């Protein structure tokens, strides 16, 4: 099995203790832990600061990335937190995700949309409204996944430990995330 993980800094494995955008070692990143748990090949296409692609050239870039890695059995998408941090509403972020998903040249049954863990109050999150918005995003994604026929996992239900900034996974958070995601994939949910 080959998985393609497309996401933001939490997929990339950003270490919030690093001043220069460095990553946790592979032994602590959820993508690498997932590969180990499932005994499969995983492509980490995470990027710090990535928002949901909204322009045709961004959709084409995504298609080129997945074509380069073909064949891919499952595309795991976890995006939206940066959209909220940039002031977008959950509905606007879900609308962007819908555009992105409908412009993919992939079989929708091979897509797993992951609702990101909600942010918490911290260095990067100074309002309760943003915390609430991050919880609402997952409700929007759940409805979207039903409408479009893509698989959905709500990481908001997984109690992922976040770092002092309120956004990024701790090392333990990566481990918990990988464990829960492996369960979802193994069950075929």
């Amino acid at each position: 099995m080959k998985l393609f993980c497309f996401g933001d800094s939490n997929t990339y494995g950003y270490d919030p203790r690093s001043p220069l955008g460095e990553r946790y070692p592979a032994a602590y990143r959820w993508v690498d832990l997932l590969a180990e748990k499932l005994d499969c090949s995983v492509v980490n296409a995470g990027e710090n600061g990535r928002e949901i692609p909204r322009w045709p050239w961004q959709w084409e870039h995504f298609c080129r990335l997945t074509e380069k890695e073909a064949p891919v059995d499952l595309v795991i998408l976890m995006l939206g937190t940066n959209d909220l941090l940039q002031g977008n509403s959950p509905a606007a972020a879900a609308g962007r995700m819908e555009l992105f998903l409908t412009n993919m040249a992939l079989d929708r049954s091979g897509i797993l949309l992951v609702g990101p863990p909600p942010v918490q109050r911290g260095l990067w999150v100074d309002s309760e409204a943003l915390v609430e918005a991050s919880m609402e995003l997952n409700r929007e994604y759940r409805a979207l996944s039903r409408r479009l026929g893509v698989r959905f996992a709500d990481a908001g239900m997984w109690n992922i430990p976040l770092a002092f900034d309120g956004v990024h996974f701790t090392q333990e958070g990566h481990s918990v995330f990988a464990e829960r995601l492996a369960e979802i994939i193994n069950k075929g949910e």
Side-chain angles (χ1 to χ4, degrees), residues 16-186:
R17 302 166 302 178
S18 160
L20 301 175
E22 297 164 355
R23 309 163 92 168
Y24 287 118
Y28 299 106
R29 295 190 298 252
W30 73 260
V31 172
D32 299 283
L33 294 168
L34 183 65
E36 186 180 307
K37 289 178 184 313
L38 297 177
D39 191 27
C40 67
S41 171
V42 178
V43 176
N44 186 337
E47 181 179 288
N48 289 339
R50 178 177 278 143
E51 294 179 36
I52 301 164
R54 59 185 137 179
W55 308 112
W57 66 268
Q58 293 172 315
W59 304 329
E60 290 166 11
H61 174 71
F62 171 82
C63 290
R64 282 193 302 277
L65 287 175
T66 56
E67 287 169 6
K68 178 182 169 192
E69 299 296 339
V72 171
D73 298 294
L74 183 64
V75 172
I76 300 171
L77 296 174
M78 185 171 67
L79 289 165
T81 301
N82 287 315
D83 298 83
L84 299 178
L85 290 171
Q86 293 302 316
N88 293 287
S89 70
R96 284 184 187 172
M97 182 59 77
E98 184 168 8
L99 266 175
F100 181 45
L101 289 169
T102 56
N103 281 285
M104 281 185 193
L106 296 172
D107 179 359
R108 290 188 184 158
S109 66
I111 299 170
L112 174 60
L113 176 60
V114 179
V119 298
Q120 300 171 355
R121 296 295 290 259
L123 189 62
W124 289 21
V125 181
D126 62 359
S127 80
E128 196 59 34
L130 187 52
V131 174
E132 292 297 322
S134 68
M135 289 188 263
E136 176 61 27
L137 179 64
N138 287 359
R139 291 188 286 273
E140 294 273 353
Y141 278 2
R142 182 179 302 280
L144 175 62
S145 68
R146 287 184 183 134
R147 276 197 318 276
L148 296 183
V150 299
R151 294 165 63 186
F152 177 71
D154 187 349
M157 307 299 288
W158 299 349
N159 297 316
I160 303 298
L162 299 179
F164 61 91
D165 60 14
V167 173
H168 294 102
F169 300 177
T170 62
Q171 288 179 356
E172 179 188 1
H174 278 272
S175 179
V176 171
F177 188 89
E179 185 68 38
R180 295 303 307 271
L181 192 55
E183 291 170 8
I184 297 284
I185 292 170
N186 279 331

